[in-house]
Amino acid sequence: MSTSSNSPYHHGNLRQALLEAALVILEQQGEAGLGLRDLARAVGVSPAAPYRHFDSRAALLEALAVTGFQRFAARMEAVAASQPDDPMAAMGKTYVVFALQNANLFRLMFSPQLKKDSRPGLRMAADAAFDTLRHLVGGDLDKGRIRALAAWAKVHGLAVLLLDGQIAIRSGEDTEALVEEIISSL
């Protein structure tokens, strides 16, 4: 399925248009389907236009991962702001549901090929997302970090197991209800 339109690109924020088109391609075709020339074609701009915003495919992947962490953090902050009865369980469910709804973006966000230590923007976005969880668990910096890491490890493991098909979803089973039940039992 093509993401291109018949009309050429004519609006103001090319970088954002490229990112939105890249997110569609990423979810439809996976990371292997992302190329700057193909992205230019999908948006309806010259093959050189994306290079004004992303100097390489790696820069595009980094920007997509940053976008993913920002969207993920926004969801986590919304959960925290809603003051649920069990905030940890609500955030855990939100984490896993985000992963399931954005499988290829989620995989890219945590891809070992994107080394956060050498990409400050990516590190900041990832840390901001983690901080939503760390603030929720509270406590002093070290104990709060350990509790947040433990919670993260549990829900990340559950998300990856589900994404990889290692947890069988039975016919008619509600995946979100299953996720909620698993998380509440942790």
Side-chain angles (χ1 to χ4, degrees):
M1 172 180 248
S2 174
T3 59
S4 65
S5 65
N6 292 334
S7 61
Y9 171 82
H10 283 296
H11 44 85
N13 193 342
L14 179 57
R15 184 178 197 283
Q16 189 59 37
L18 290 166
L19 282 172
E20 291 302 324
L23 286 166
V24 171
I25 293 168
L26 178 66
E27 285 308 316
Q28 291 176 349
Q29 301 175 27
E31 183 187 324
L34 284 171
L36 290 172
R37 288 184 173 273
D38 294 331
L39 185 57
R41 189 174 18 261
V43 175
V45 296
S46 75
Y51 289 94
R52 290 186 209 121
H53 301 281
F54 309 105
D55 63 0
S56 65
R57 183 175 183 276
L60 171 64
L61 295 177
E62 177 182 347
L64 287 170
V66 167
T67 299
F69 278 114
Q70 290 168 339
R71 290 180 179 186
F72 171 70
R75 284 199 193 177
M76 297 296 272
E77 289 165 2
V79 169
S82 72
Q83 300 179 333
D85 291 336
D86 186 348
M88 289 296 287
M91 284 186 120
K93 179 182 176 187
T94 299
Y95 187 103
V96 176
V97 169
F98 179 89
L100 296 176
Q101 291 174 344
N102 303 278
N104 289 331
L105 178 59
F106 180 81
R107 289 184 189 281
L108 178 64
M109 290 162 57
F110 294 100
S111 171
Q113 81 179 33
L114 293 179
K115 307 260 186 265
K116 292 174 185 70
D117 293 336
S118 60
R119 293 178 164 86
L122 182 56
R123 167 57 61 203
M124 286 174 38
D127 287 350
F130 178 74
D131 283 345
T132 61
L133 178 60
R134 198 196 61 68
H135 290 306
L136 180 71
V137 299
D140 67 43
L141 193 57
D142 289 334
K143 287 181 183 174
R145 178 178 175 266
I146 297 302
R147 285 199 305 261
L149 287 171
W152 178 25
K154 291 173 185 174
V155 295
H156 188 83
L158 176 58
V160 171
L161 287 169
L162 286 164
L163 287 174
D164 290 347
Q166 298 300 315
I167 296 176
I169 304 299
R170 297 179 182 151
S171 178
E173 190 169 33
D174 180 349
T175 304
E176 285 192 31
L178 176 65
V179 166
E180 195 169 335
E181 190 172 341
I182 291 169
I183 289 173
S184 67
S185 71
L186 297 176

